[in-house]
Amino acid sequence: MSCSKPCAPPHAVQSTTDCTARWLSSVPGNLRGDTEELLLDDNTVQVLGNTSLLSYHQLRHLSLTKNRLELIEPGTFLSSQGLHVLSLADNLLFTNYSLTAAALSVLPALRMLDLAGNRLTEDMVSILVWNLSSLESLSVARNIIMRLDSSVFTNLTQLLELNLEKNYIFEIDQAFEGLQRLQRLNIAYNYLPCVVEFGLTQLRVLNVSNNVIEWFLAVESDDLFELEVLDLSHNRLLFFPLLPRQSKLHSLLLKDNQMSFYQRLPNGTSLADVTVQFLLIDGNFTNITRVSLWDEICNSNFSSLRLLDMSQNQVWYLPEGFLAQMPSLTHLKLNQNCLEVFHLSEGGPLAMLTELDLSQNQLAELEAEVGTGDVLPNLQLFNLSTNRLRALPPGVFTYTRKIATVDLSRNRVDLCPQPAVAGQVESPPCVDIRGLETLTHLSLAGCGLQGLGGHPFQGTPLMQLDLSDNHQALSRDLGWLQDLALTLRVLSLRNTSLSSTAVDFSAFNSLVRLDLSGNSLTVLPTSLGVLKLHSLDLRDNCLPALPPDVARMPLGKSLREVYLSRNPYNCCTLGWWDALQRVEGLHVPDGQEVTCSYASRTLSPRALPEPVLRSCRWQTANLALLYLVLALPTCLTLLVAFAVVFLTLKQKLLKMVKSRCGVSSPY
């Protein structure tokens, strides 16, 4: 064994020796004998021999991930039988797995074993873990397992956690029935087509995301399932899963499937009485199960459900009473579906909801029964972006006592009050957010806002406001924003056709982040100089330069981040750029993309060629010379004129002086 530097010594609190990434081809033999944790990750060890760990009788944790390990000889762990944690991930154990299995069989205290990334088949795994009845956690992720049956994990009676993700599993036949203590099971990123007759009552967390599952059917039983988290996201589910009737489920993740409800179809057809038959074939035994999918949904107990994620599906309506089964729901994600209408009611099933995401649907109307009762009283985040809304029900926010974030972007909405229009009988629909004392974040990007007036934010202490992509929102001055002058900290005016340098930002003393990108600014607004911003975005404007003294302004001294790219800067007027480079603590994230123009060439201000610098200096010098040349003829003309006048009037002037001074003339 040879290495460039010795392994890190044991820590004072725990006897840990770190030999990570030392190009070691074997286990060092000169370490302290009381080492309890030995880290040999990212080395080149190929074989653990019978004498490799002979000196380390107190070893409890051994990690050999990312080596070239092919073999562990049968007597390797005879002197380290107290080992609790063994990590062998990302090696080549498939080559001599039977001998390695013999070595592992002498570890009666082993609790955690990581065999991920070793090109193991299910038969190899079965042999490797056959005698490890003490295991509580096993990872065989990233191997080449294809099919699991009851023989693979037979003796792992103490197993609590099993990780099988990123294999090639397409079939599971009663592989987990003997694991009576199993609580966490991860089968993500495999090729399971369905899960039927699910009956693992002791399981708390099940992750079967990123498979090709079309059906999830739990056994028909009144037994209480301990299941708390079920992740079925990124599959091909056609129907809402048929879940256990009694469970402790609090998180149900169904994102990115093909789910819909079929009791009502868009053409008015009803499938309420239609049943579905499942044909289950097990050897010579055939079982036909007939279910009504919509009745089964109501038979599941969702009383403890707190998180429901049904985003990225094909849901266009929710069955009547569907959400009423979920009185504890706090987070509901229905974004990226096909919803056309969503109904809110006083004292309804969403009373505990804190986050509601209905973005990227086809909502043309948000129905609400608004009276004297509470509607979404605990809601804190309401995302309605990218729909077809033109207004919200009047008073919908009246009883949302905790609302903090509202996203109305990409809807054709206007804010109340609307400017009066001559001859208009009724006011156009608008959204009233005045007086929302808890609202701090509001997005109105891409809403088509036009020339707002009045006080649309009166009594609403917004801290963050996004007005991006509203091309006519700033057709007037910023007077309608004055109610936010003391509270607003983040303001986005990206792509709002801002070109006027007369826009006055000086009243917004609390601003720390301002986005002015995508506009037509030719000069930096002078009112920005007095602000103490931390972040400023000036990308995609028409700025030839920034003020030469920008680094000495309050703005330049406070900035920590500035975006400057995609502006037509002049390569010969980069004094401001050099000054900003010298500001301590200032970061230009897009500095590599900043360019300047010189004689139809696009260059980087970080490394201007010497000829360009020299030419720029000559241009500056030539400009001074030009001024001198222009001024010289004028000066000469004045001098000649003065001389002519003097010579012409010389005699008269002399006589005048002599007569006044009383001196006789020599003539």
Side-chain angles (χ1 to χ4, degrees):
M1 176 206 73
S2 62
C3 56
S4 58
K5 55 183 179 179
C7 300
H11 302 300
V13 178
Q14 184 180 7
S15 299
T16 300
T17 303
D18 190 352
C19 295
T20 301
R22 304 300 172 92
W23 291 97
L24 299 175
S25 59
S26 62
V27 179
N30 57 351
L31 305 177
R32 287 179 51 169
D34 62 349
T35 297
E36 295 182 6
E37 183 175 13
L38 178 55
L39 307 178
L40 289 162
D41 303 332
D42 201 10
N43 282 290
T44 60
V45 179
Q46 286 185 283
V47 177
L48 277 186
N50 291 329
T51 60
S52 296
L53 303 174
L54 202 57
S55 303
Y56 309 118
H57 300 283
Q58 298 185 34
L59 202 60
R60 298 291 180 269
H61 184 157
L62 176 61
S63 183
L64 281 153
T65 63
K66 295 183 180 179
N67 277 267
R68 301 173 185 173
L69 196 60
E70 298 178 358
L71 170 63
I72 302 177
E73 294 183 351
T76 300
F77 298 117
L78 289 176
S79 60
S80 306
Q81 295 188 25
L83 201 64
H84 290 164
V85 179
L86 179 58
S87 181
L88 302 172
D90 298 304
N91 282 288
L92 304 169
L93 293 180
F94 72 97
T95 53
N96 294 286
Y97 66 92
S98 57
L99 291 175
T100 299
L104 297 177
S105 66
V106 300
L107 294 173
L110 194 62
R111 300 285 182 268
M112 183 181 298
L113 176 61
D114 189 351
L115 296 173
N118 275 282
R119 307 184 198 175
L120 301 172
T121 66
E122 55 268 29
D123 294 331
M124 295 177 186
V125 170
S126 178
I127 293 172
L128 283 165
V129 303
W130 183 260
N131 292 306
L132 301 181
S133 58
S134 61
L135 271 187
E136 295 178 353
S137 176
L138 172 63
S139 175
V140 285
R142 295 182 289 108
N143 282 290
I144 53 175
I145 301 170
M146 295 186 180
R147 184 182 182 279
L148 294 175
D149 58 31
S150 58
S151 66
V152 180
F153 306 115
T154 299
N155 297 322
L156 303 184
T157 55
Q158 301 301 311
L159 199 64
L160 300 175
E161 182 175 2
L162 177 58
N163 187 354
L164 290 158
E165 71 175 3
K166 294 184 179 178
N167 277 278
Y168 299 88
I169 302 171
F170 64 89
E171 183 179 359
I172 299 176
D173 183 11
Q174 298 183 337
F176 312 121
E177 270 65 13
L179 308 180
Q180 296 300 318
R181 298 191 62 198
L182 188 64
Q183 296 182 4
R184 303 177 67 89
L185 177 58
N186 184 356
I187 323 178
Y189 295 96
N190 279 281
Y191 295 90
L192 291 175
C194 62
V195 177
V196 295
E197 297 292 314
F198 173 73
L200 301 178
T201 57
Q202 82 285 3
L203 206 63
R204 295 183 181 274
V205 178
L206 175 59
N207 184 356
V208 284
S209 64
N210 294 279
N211 279 268
V212 290
I213 297 173
E214 296 183 354
W215 306 91
F216 184 94
L217 306 174
V219 295
E220 295 187 38
S221 170
D222 291 325
D223 293 340
L224 176 62
F225 282 68
E226 298 293 328
L227 192 63
E228 297 175 355
V229 178
L230 175 58
D231 190 348
L232 283 161
S233 56
H234 308 290
N235 276 287
R236 300 179 184 176
L237 285 173
L238 300 172
F239 297 88
F240 194 85
L242 302 182
L243 301 170
R245 292 174 181 170
Q246 301 294 329
S247 72
K248 300 179 180 179
L249 194 65
H250 63 68
S251 298
L252 179 56
L253 309 176
L254 302 170
K255 179 180 180 179
D256 187 22
N257 279 280
Q258 300 172 20
M259 287 192 314
S260 186
F261 295 100
Y262 304 94
Q263 190 171 8
R264 273 193 298 120
L265 297 182
N267 62 7
T269 305
S270 175
L271 299 179
D273 299 324
V274 176
T275 59
V276 178
Q277 291 184 350
F278 294 95
L279 183 63
L280 307 177
I281 302 176
D282 186 6
N284 295 324
F285 176 75
T286 302
N287 180 27
I288 299 177
T289 302
R290 181 179 288 106
V291 296
S292 175
L293 293 173
W294 305 275
D295 290 342
E296 287 293 328
I297 291 172
C298 298
N299 288 337
S300 298
N301 184 356
F302 295 112
S303 60
S304 58
L305 192 65
R306 298 196 296 272
L307 167 62
L308 175 59
D309 186 351
M310 293 174 57
S311 57
Q312 297 182 39
N313 278 280
Q314 299 175 14
V315 176
W316 70 278
Y317 83 101
L318 296 178
E320 185 177 353
F322 177 71
L323 295 177
Q325 303 173 88
M326 308 171 188
S328 303
L329 201 63
T330 58
H331 294 73
L332 177 58
K333 298 178 181 293
L334 291 168
N335 51 296
Q336 292 179 260
N337 276 282
C338 310
L339 291 171
E340 298 177 350
V341 177
F342 191 82
H343 186 76
L344 304 173
S345 59
E346 297 177 13
L350 304 180
M352 299 299 294
L353 208 62
T354 61
E355 179 180 340
L356 176 57
D357 190 346
L358 297 173
S359 62
Q360 299 185 60
N361 276 279
Q362 301 176 27
L363 288 174
E365 184 179 6
L366 190 66
E367 296 181 348
E369 298 175 3
V370 180
T372 58
D374 291 349
V375 176
L376 304 174
N378 290 294
L379 195 66
Q380 299 176 24
L381 186 151
F382 199 4
N383 190 349
L384 288 164
S385 67
T386 319
N387 278 284
R388 302 174 182 176
L389 296 170
R390 297 193 64 85
L392 297 182
V396 69
F397 293 124
T398 302
Y399 300 100
T400 52
R401 297 183 295 269
K402 300 180 180 179
I403 191 71
T405 301
V406 174
D407 190 344
L408 291 168
S409 58
R410 274 75 191 178
N411 285 282
R412 302 298 294 180
V413 297
D414 285 311
L415 293 182
C416 305
Q418 286 290 292
V421 178
Q424 193 173 59
V425 179
E426 294 184 1
S427 299
C430 58
V431 176
D432 194 349
I433 60 169
R434 292 171 293 182
L436 294 184
E437 298 179 352
T438 58
L439 189 62
T440 57
H441 295 68
L442 176 64
S443 178
L444 295 167
C447 288
L449 299 176
Q450 300 182 7
L452 294 176
H455 297 273
F457 304 110
Q458 188 173 21
T460 302
L462 285 179
M463 298 175 61
Q464 183 169 323
L465 177 61
D466 187 355
L467 295 170
S468 304
D469 302 314
N470 287 286
H471 300 288
Q472 299 182 41
L474 302 180
S475 57
R476 305 179 185 180
D477 57 24
L478 296 180
W480 51 279
L481 286 175
Q482 294 305 312
D483 289 321
L484 305 177
L486 299 179
T487 61
L488 199 61
R489 296 178 59 82
V490 180
L491 176 61
S492 178
L493 298 175
R494 183 183 69 254
N495 195 24
T496 53
S497 302
L498 185 66
S499 60
S500 173
T501 56
V503 176
D504 189 1
F505 293 97
S506 58
F508 298 90
N509 294 318
S510 298
L511 271 183
V512 295
R513 184 181 294 271
L514 178 61
D515 185 353
L516 297 176
S517 62
N519 285 291
S520 304
L521 295 175
T522 55
V523 179
L524 188 72
T526 55
S527 57
L528 291 181
V530 301
L531 299 183
K532 296 181 179 180
L533 298 175
H534 294 168
S535 176
L536 176 62
D537 194 339
L538 295 170
R539 286 174 289 188
D540 288 302
N541 275 281
C542 304
L543 295 168
L546 296 187
D549 60 343
V550 64
R552 299 192 298 272
M553 297 177 179
L555 173 66
K557 295 178 181 179
S558 64
L559 274 178
R560 294 294 173 263
E561 179 183 74
V562 60
Y563 293 87
L564 298 166
S565 61
R566 298 191 289 277
N567 278 284
Y569 300 120
N570 187 338
C571 289
C572 291
T573 56
L574 289 176
W576 60 271
W577 170 263
D578 297 330
L580 288 179
Q581 298 301 301
R582 294 190 293 268
V583 175
E584 185 177 357
L586 179 60
H587 180 47
V588 185
D590 61 340
Q592 299 293 336
E593 303 172 33
V594 176
T595 59
C596 62
S597 299
Y598 174 80
S600 72
R601 295 168 60 189
T602 301
L603 304 171
S604 171
R606 291 177 174 270
L608 290 177
E610 185 58 33
V612 174
L613 292 173
R614 191 162 49 247
S615 178
C616 286
R617 286 194 292 269
W618 270 108
Q619 285 185 17
T620 305
N622 290 342
L623 192 61
L625 183 61
L626 177 63
Y627 290 148
L628 179 62
V629 169
L630 291 175
L632 188 59
T634 304
C635 294
L636 289 174
T637 301
L638 291 174
L639 184 61
V640 170
F642 178 77
V644 170
V645 171
F646 179 75
L647 292 175
T648 303
L649 302 177
K650 178 180 177 183
Q651 294 296 331
K652 293 181 179 181
L653 289 172
L654 289 174
K655 289 180 180 180
M656 186 182 299
V657 172
K658 289 179 180 180
S659 63
R660 292 199 174 187
C661 297
V663 179
S664 60
S665 172
Y667 303 99

